[in-house]
Amino acid sequence: SRHTPTHTVFSFLPVFSYCVFFLCRDFVAALIDHPKLLVAAVDGAAVGMGTTLLGLCDLVFCSELAMFHTPFAQLSLTPDACASYTFPRLMGMPKAGEVLLLGRKLSPLEAFESRLVTRVLTENHFKDELPYILDHILSLPSEALLASHNLIRGYEKNMLHTVNQAECDLMQTRWKSKECNYSVSRFLDGKVHDVTVFGLPQLSERENKESREADIDAVDNQTLSQNTAASLS
């Protein structure tokens, strides 16, 4: 809700971080250990883990309407689903930094060029062509296919589990931080908007100035109240 009180958010986040830690860790671990091929299809906005988990998939198909966004920094959070390891390996460090650190949105073509996506399908053919692709995969000799899959993925499993644990440990710390509390509160209050060239949810310059002034006024009022209470006691 846009009107969620800040103190409610502060009290909620530590509990939420505890739940997210186990859910995220176990979910990603299951993807890492999955013995069969993981095939993803994206036909819209993939935000946060919706994008990062694609690095764990064997094949990724998307439509022309897809959009990939990882706004971790804007919410004072850190990457998940082993993206801190898989994205630099797929895209190279400069592009991975732009995506994970700056929250740059990727179009379908950019995702393909960044090697996050296997193939971009036209919107008119996405729902028709995808079943044929899946049927082709299922028609291949399963034992040889799975043996090749395990050969390709097997060497990285231990590393991926290590990265997953490290990311979840850091995520839990971030959710409990004051900086994250502040960023999430601003998001819930509607003070974060999606209006920049990089796809970063930020305020306009005028809104930034008004928001900073409001924050300063709030701090001044709180200080004044504390000083008044101290003088009366």
Side-chain angles (χ1 to χ4, degrees):
S1 169
R2 292 170 62 90
H3 304 290
T4 302
T6 301
H7 64 81
T8 301
V9 176
F10 285 179
S11 62
F12 168 73
L13 286 179
V15 178
F16 182 71
S17 70
Y18 183 80
C19 297
V20 167
F21 172 81
F22 290 103
L23 290 174
C24 181
R25 184 194 63 182
D26 294 347
F27 174 64
V28 172
L31 294 179
I32 295 171
D33 289 332
H34 193 65
K36 299 181 180 180
L37 266 67
L38 290 172
V39 181
V42 183
D43 190 25
V47 180
M49 188 177 282
T51 291
T52 54
L53 62 78
L54 298 178
L56 297 173
C57 294
D58 299 286
L59 299 167
V60 180
F61 302 95
C62 76
S63 75
E64 295 173 318
L65 298 180
M67 180 274 291
F68 306 88
H69 192 200
T70 53
F72 295 111
Q74 289 71 31
L75 296 175
S76 299
L77 296 174
T78 49
D80 54 26
C82 298
S84 61
Y85 175 78
T86 59
F87 275 35
R89 287 174 63 84
L90 289 170
M91 307 175 181
M93 189 62 72
K95 176 59 71 174
E98 190 177 33
V99 172
L100 294 176
L101 301 179
L102 301 183
R104 190 188 193 283
K105 290 181 181 178
L106 294 180
S107 67
L109 179 59
E110 289 173 318
F112 173 74
E113 292 174 342
S114 299
R115 299 190 293 181
L116 183 64
V117 167
T118 306
R119 190 188 306 174
V120 180
L121 307 176
T122 62
E123 178 58 25
N124 293 335
H125 298 93
F126 180 76
K127 293 181 180 179
D128 295 329
E129 191 172 350
L130 192 60
Y132 287 104
I133 295 174
L134 297 177
D135 286 341
H136 172 66
I137 295 173
L138 293 173
S139 70
L140 298 173
S142 60
E143 290 185 6
L145 191 63
L146 294 179
S148 297
H149 161 77
N150 291 326
L151 182 64
I152 295 170
R153 290 289 188 179
Y155 295 106
E156 291 188 321
K157 277 192 175 183
N158 290 336
M159 174 60 73
L160 290 172
H161 281 299
T162 299
V163 173
N164 180 35
Q165 183 68 46
E167 286 182 346
C168 289
D169 287 340
L170 183 57
M171 181 193 302
Q172 189 176 32
T173 301
R174 295 304 309 150
W175 274 112
K176 294 178 180 178
S177 70
K178 291 182 179 180
E179 184 181 62
C180 181
N181 284 333
Y182 177 73
S183 298
V184 172
S185 296
R186 284 172 61 83
F187 174 76
L188 294 176
D189 289 340
K191 293 183 178 181
V192 177
H193 303 300
D194 193 4
V195 295
T196 66
V197 65
F198 279 108
L200 306 181
Q202 293 180 344
L203 297 170
S204 68
E205 185 58 35
R206 178 181 61 80
E207 291 173 314
N208 257 320
K209 181 179 179 181
E210 292 175 352
S211 179
R212 286 195 299 268
E213 290 173 349
D215 289 342
I216 292 172
D217 289 340
V219 172
D220 290 343
N221 290 336
Q222 183 179 9
T223 302
L224 178 62
S225 299
Q226 291 174 345
N227 291 339
T228 301
S231 63
L232 293 176
S233 60

